[in-house]
Amino acid sequence: MDIARVLIVANRTAATPALIAAVRERAARGPCEFALLVPQLIAEEAFGEEEARKTIELAIPLLQEAAGDEVPAIIGTSDAMLAVERVLVHEHYDEVIVSTLPERVSHWLKRDLPTRIERLGLPVTVVRAHAAREPLHPPIRYAGP
């Protein structure tokens, strides 16, 4: 059986429970391998790359646990579509998961990123986070002595 290659495109939502659950669900459906593309949030290169590295550091252990395998990470340009196109020039992927903020605040959805990626001939799954940094675990409540 062929192994599907799945490109995850995420930034602020790379470590959210919604994306972790989507990766776990996709991994359970059949053999696949994942890579994480983190477009920089801002065009200013040094700061943008530093922020992307922080996102990767937080997200990769969670994604690898959900995927059951290594998940390499790629830092892309601040233009998410251009970042995807550049990755696809060098690597083949069978599908894309776009993880984004809720519709009311997502620049990627306002720019119709998922549809633009689909036009490249790849199926796209959109995962919307409830918030930019959802807690990974429920808050611990101290009941007192």
Side-chain angles (χ1 to χ4, degrees), residues 5 23-24 26 35 39 51-52 57-60 62 65 68 77-78 82 85 96 100 107-108 112 115 121 131 134:
R5 298 195 70 218
V23 168
R24 186 173 286 116
R26 176 58 190 93
E51 289 300 305
E57 187 177 316
L58 178 65
I60 287 297
L62 301 168
E65 187 277 324
T77 180
S78 60
L82 182 58
E85 289 171 334
V96 177
T100 186
H107 294 292
W108 290 357
D112 206 14
T115 301
E134 294 178 344

Side-chain angles (χ1 to χ4, degrees), residues 8-11 13-14 16 19 97-101 108 125 127-129:
I8 303 165
V9 183
N11 195 308
T13 61
T16 55
L19 178 58
I97 297 174
V98 175
S99 178
T100 186
L101 295 169
W108 290 357
T125 301
V127 176
R128 288 178 183 88

Side-chain angles (χ1 to χ4, degrees), residues 45-64:
E45 197 169 313
F47 183 73
E49 188 168 322
E50 179 182 333
E51 289 300 305
R53 287 191 192 288
K54 289 177 185 175
T55 297
I56 289 166
E57 187 177 316
L58 178 65
I60 287 297
L62 301 168
L63 293 171
Q64 288 180 164

Side-chain angles (χ1 to χ4, degrees), residues 116-134:
R116 292 168 61 205
I117 294 171
E118 283 179 337
R119 288 186 193 130
L120 299 175
L122 295 170
V124 176
T125 301
V126 178
V127 176
R128 288 178 183 88
H130 298 292
R133 299 269 188 214
E134 294 178 344

